């Protein structure tokens, strides 16, 4: 039985996928490339009760995203945004705001995939025959073939790359997986060939 696609990635997973620093992720989020989100319990914003998934402003939490890695792991937010409102709301109760942890922050998977597509995140790496690799690329190719045979192609190449990264993570408890660009480099020729056939 195939599991549904991933819904979100933690910030740690995003930095691992993209091979970047958490400060870069915060910067791109602040520039509006995607949203950093978390889940909170019931709070009051004026007359409204808010809970669940909310958007955070990375600029409100800058010490958490220090490039040098010396920042705290938790910060206090006093404003949030919900998907329904689309505008910042001030937390009025609790008065001091809500504590959030970096470990609980996430980026929705569709935004991760869209960012990867937009920036053509494919790394060209020259590897000669017999080059040593810590990853089971042959196993991934088999998993890829089975996935396409059983379920066809997903809507985007980024979804397929994400599924293969999840395949590596599942086999190593999340400890040994290549970044998405390395996977995309291997999948891209197959994706293009199959898309041409469909056309």
């Amino acid at each position: 039985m195939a599991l549904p696609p991933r819904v979100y990635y933690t910030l740690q997973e995003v930095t691992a996928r993209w091979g970047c620093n958490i400060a870069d992720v915060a910067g791109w989020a602040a520039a509006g490339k995607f949203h950093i989100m978390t889940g909170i319990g019931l709070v009051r914003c004026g007359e409204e009760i808010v809970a669940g998934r909310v958007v955070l402003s990375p600029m409100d939490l800058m010490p958490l995203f220090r490039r040098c890695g010396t920042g705290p792991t938790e910060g206090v937010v006093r404003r949030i945004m919900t998907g329904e409102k689309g505008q910042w709301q001030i937390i009025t109760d609790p008065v001091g705001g809500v504590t959030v942890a970096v470990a609980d922050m996430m980026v929705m998977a569709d935004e991760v995939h869209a960012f990867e597509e937009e920036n053509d995140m494919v790394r060209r790496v020259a590897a000669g025959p017999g080059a040593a690799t810590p990853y089971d690329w042959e196993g991934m190719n088999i998993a890829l073939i089975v996935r396409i045979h059983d379920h066809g192609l997903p809507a985007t190449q980024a979804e397929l790359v994400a599924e293969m990264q999840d395949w590596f993570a599942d086999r190593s408890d999340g400890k040994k997986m290549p970044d998405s660009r390395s996977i995309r480099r291997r999948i891209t020729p197959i994706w293009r060939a199959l898309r041409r056939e469909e056309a």
Side-chain angles (χ1 to χ4, degrees):
M1 181 181 71
L3 293 173
R6 181 81 71 90
V7 175
Y8 67 84
Y9 292 91
T10 64
L11 293 196
Q12 182 182 13
E13 290 172 322
V14 171
T15 58
R17 282 175 69 89
W18 296 347
C20 65
N21 189 284
I22 194 170
D24 297 316
V25 176
W28 292 322
K33 301 294 185 182
F34 46 79
H35 297 100
I36 293 177
M37 312 187 85
T38 195
I40 63 170
L42 290 171
V43 299
R44 184 178 291 278
C45 297
E47 297 300 315
E48 186 177 355
I49 301 295
V50 178
R53 192 172 71 192
V54 296
V55 176
L56 304 174
S57 168
M59 298 306 288
D60 294 352
L61 298 162
M62 283 303 290
L64 277 61
F65 306 122
R66 290 177 187 156
R67 189 170 298 277
C68 58
T70 60
T73 59
E74 294 183 343
V76 175
V77 292
R78 293 183 172 84
R79 64 173 178 158
I80 53 176
M81 183 189 299
T82 63
E84 296 77 26
K85 286 286 184 180
Q87 61 187 14
W88 294 110
Q89 297 174 269
I90 306 300
I91 297 173
T92 54
D93 184 16
V95 177
V98 176
T99 300
V100 296
V102 173
D104 297 327
M105 295 179 192
M106 58 191 176
V107 179
M108 301 308 293
D110 57 349
E111 291 193 320
V112 170
H113 301 157
F115 183 83
E116 292 172 348
E117 289 285 352
E118 179 184 344
N119 293 282
D120 192 25
M121 295 172 72
V122 180
R123 183 171 58 189
R124 310 281 181 196
V125 179
T133 174
Y135 305 113
D136 181 11
W137 294 113
E138 289 185 15
M140 184 205 77
N141 286 338
I142 293 170
L144 182 65
I145 291 166
V146 170
R147 190 263 185 253
I148 294 171
H149 177 270
D150 291 349
H151 305 287
L153 288 172
T156 66
Q157 182 182 355
E159 289 179 53
L160 194 58
V161 170
E163 287 185 32
M164 292 303 102
Q165 191 164 46
D166 290 343
W167 180 86
F168 280 107
D170 289 344
R171 276 144 191 80
S172 64
D173 294 326
K175 297 175 184 174
K176 190 176 181 182
M177 55 185 181
D179 60 67
S180 62
R181 291 170 293 182
S182 297
I183 297 173
R184 185 184 300 270
R185 177 174 57 86
R186 293 169 184 267
I187 285 179
T188 294
I190 299 168
W191 176 267
R192 288 178 178 166
L194 292 174
R195 281 303 190 198
R196 276 197 298 269
E197 287 181 9
E198 287 185 357

